[in-house]
Amino acid sequence: MNLAQRFVAATAFGLAATVLAQGPQVIAEWDIQTQPGGARLIQDAQARFERAHPGFKVQRTQIPNDAYKTKLKIAMGANEPPCVFTSWGGGVLREYVRAGQVVDLSFYLAQDPAFRDRFLPSAFAATTTQGKVYGLPGENTTAAVIYYNTEIFARFGLTPPKTWSELMKLVEALRARDVAPFALANKAKWPGSMYYMYLVDRVGGPEPFRKALARAPGGSFADPAFVEAGKYLQELVRAGAFAQGFNGLDYDVGASRRLLYSGKAAMELMGSWESSNMKNENPGFAKKMDFFPFPGLARGKGQAGNVVGSVGQNFYSVSTACKTPDAAYKLITTMFDDESVQARLQDKRLVPLKELAVTDAAMQRMMKLVADAPNVQLWYDQELPPQLAELHKDTVQALFGLSITPEEAAQKMEALAAQILK
């Protein structure tokens, strides 16, 4: 019996002993998979776990994206978190780790190499702190791309732009035909952040953000790259690139997608999970949609192949308040077993595995986009510490609303960063 087999046997024995000694145990699990496909595959995996471990019962709670963030923060503050919870890794998870509220999963992974080694090494980057892993990947390998309605483009003889100047001409052409160029639901602020992140990258490459976050010499959130990104963003707004009311529309209820479905908007910049959302909500319309990468800037330092996204997207962790961490770990691994991986592929989700057999042409293109990217920038609102992440979202929404200048937004970010980043 090898090490992995001994670990599995020992874990099974431990779980059985726990059940015999204490009776049925409830494992509370929270996630944000509210779409039918995502919810179903998690429920199926949890049912398999319960069958394999009699006496354990999974109590699942699915919560919409933005409400989830608030609910988890309150639960952590009250020291009443669920056993298993999802996060985006990065700065928010690090805050919980520093507070001693998240189980170090490194031991489990060391004893379970068959599970660990299935994943791309980079899949653990967003949940690794000081060499220890606090979250397991992951719902999806994601990149923010521009989805577009192929029928609208064909009707007006339009083609996907490769440069910023081509994008601005496309905006003008769509507006001339009474079609909103972009659908955007920016009430929660993070959808609009994608434009800003891409523009910072296209202007200055990944270094300005890295240096500003690390407080490296010369690093500042008032760097010209951040200011120029704000100017390009407001150029889009002033050109009428977005459907009316965008800063008040709610992404969680599908407001931006409804604009696409109705033909009122032609494009949407969104993470690649949008393919799954469209497939679940409107499969007929989903066949009309294609995507292209965010355009490059002729005078920018950032490479056009850089993407904003993440390898793993959602990660699952175990809270230190959990009384059955061994069982919680086994639950997570069941949620990413072979059957779950295949279900995710059917739901147009790319689990970050080393060898993932993908036959769907669009998904193959998405995988190649991420695999070939010189840099994959984790979403700012997840990479930054929570307080700075909130200011980032606030200032970007204000940039969209034309209520703040790019210089003012950059100075606000730098002032707070200087206070809280060490």
Side-chain angles (χ1 to χ4, degrees):
M1 181 180 293
N2 62 30
L3 182 62
Q5 291 170 328
R6 288 200 299 272
F7 169 75
V8 172
T11 302
F13 175 80
L15 298 185
T18 300
V19 172
L20 290 173
Q22 300 179 4
Q25 298 289 300
V26 174
I27 302 176
E29 182 272 328
W30 290 5
D31 62 70
I32 61 169
Q33 301 305 318
T34 57
Q35 288 285 347
R40 184 168 53 252
L41 67 87
I42 286 182
Q43 290 165 353
D44 290 347
Q46 292 176 348
R48 291 197 300 277
F49 169 82
E50 291 176 347
R51 288 194 297 271
H53 304 288
F56 282 92
K57 178 70 176 176
V58 181
Q59 184 180 71
R60 177 176 181 251
T61 302
Q62 59 185 59
I63 307 163
N65 184 82
D66 291 293
Y68 175 84
K69 297 172 186 176
T70 302
K71 186 176 178 67
L72 181 63
K73 182 178 180 180
I74 292 172
M76 287 292 191
N79 199 31
E80 295 179 351
C83 257
V84 173
F85 65 95
T86 192
S87 80
W88 294 262
V92 175
L93 183 62
R94 285 194 292 270
E95 289 289 311
Y96 296 142
V97 169
R98 279 194 285 267
Q101 294 180 293
V102 189
V103 172
D104 174 11
L105 300 176
S106 303
F107 166 78
Y108 293 103
L109 292 173
Q111 303 302 313
D112 193 11
F115 178 80
R116 179 197 63 207
D117 293 343
R118 297 173 67 205
F119 292 88
L120 298 170
S122 57
F124 297 95
T127 62
T128 299
T129 299
Q130 296 182 338
K132 298 178 179 179
V133 178
Y134 291 91
L136 304 181
E139 286 294 342
N140 206 354
T141 295
T142 62
V145 294
I146 298 179
Y147 287 93
Y148 71 102
N149 186 321
T150 58
E151 285 190 352
I152 290 178
F153 272 51
R155 186 187 314 150
F156 301 133
L158 304 172
T159 57
K162 294 182 179 180
T163 65
W164 182 259
S165 60
E166 289 177 1
L167 176 64
M168 295 307 296
K169 291 177 182 177
L170 177 62
V171 166
E172 183 181 356
L174 286 166
R175 280 185 49 78
R177 293 164 172 82
D178 294 324
V179 177
F182 283 99
L184 173 63
N186 201 34
K187 180 180 179 181
K189 308 170 188 175
W190 61 263
S193 169
M194 294 182 185
Y195 292 87
Y196 184 75
M197 287 185 285
Y198 262 122
L199 287 167
V200 171
D201 176 86
R202 296 301 189 255
V203 171
E207 285 306 306
F209 179 78
R210 289 177 183 170
K211 290 174 66 175
L213 179 60
R215 300 283 88 188
S220 169
F221 284 101
D223 184 277
F226 296 103
V227 176
E228 288 302 307
K231 291 179 179 179
Y232 279 111
L233 177 59
Q234 292 192 331
E235 180 185 358
L236 264 183
V237 175
R238 292 190 174 99
F242 304 99
Q244 290 187 350
F246 56 86
N247 259 352
L249 299 179
D250 189 349
Y251 176 82
D252 276 356
V253 300
S256 53
R257 293 189 296 278
R258 285 200 295 270
L259 289 169
L260 295 173
Y261 299 156
S262 66
K264 294 179 179 178
M267 299 179 288
E268 180 191 30
L269 174 63
M270 187 47 60
S272 47
W273 58 81
E274 201 72 317
S275 295
S276 175
N277 291 337
M278 292 180 187
K279 172 181 173 290
N280 281 298
E281 290 175 348
N282 196 331
F285 180 84
K287 296 177 182 178
K288 303 177 184 179
M289 297 301 290
D290 200 352
F291 67 86
F292 58 87
F294 196 89
L297 280 174
R299 296 187 301 275
K301 295 180 181 179
Q303 297 185 55
N306 289 347
V307 301
V308 170
S310 68
V311 181
Q313 178 58 16
N314 289 140
F315 304 87
Y316 288 84
S317 299
V318 179
S319 70
T320 52
C322 183
K323 295 179 180 178
T324 55
D326 291 356
Y329 171 80
K330 293 301 295 181
L331 170 62
I332 296 173
T333 60
T334 305
M335 289 161 60
F336 294 99
D337 59 15
D338 290 341
E339 192 168 339
S340 294
V341 168
Q342 290 306 310
R344 282 177 172 80
L345 281 174
Q346 290 295 319
D347 200 42
K348 296 191 178 298
R349 299 165 185 257
L350 296 169
V351 180
L353 300 182
K354 292 176 180 175
E355 298 180 4
L356 187 64
V358 179
T359 57
D360 182 274
M363 295 177 72
Q364 288 176 341
R365 285 173 52 215
M366 189 67 70
M367 283 183 66
K368 182 173 174 56
L369 183 69
V370 177
D372 292 349
N375 184 68
V376 178
Q377 173 61 60
L378 181 64
W379 323 101
Y380 285 7
D381 60 321
Q382 302 307 324
E383 184 64 37
L384 293 168
Q387 189 178 357
L388 197 57
E390 287 304 312
L391 180 61
H392 158 69
K393 291 188 292 184
D394 288 344
T395 54
V396 171
Q397 189 183 55
L399 285 169
F400 270 99
L402 304 178
S403 61
I404 192 172
T405 68
E407 292 83 1
E408 290 169 340
Q411 289 294 341
K412 281 178 176 287
M413 283 292 292
E414 176 56 23
L416 182 58
Q419 292 179 29
I420 68 175
L421 294 178
K422 305 297 182 183

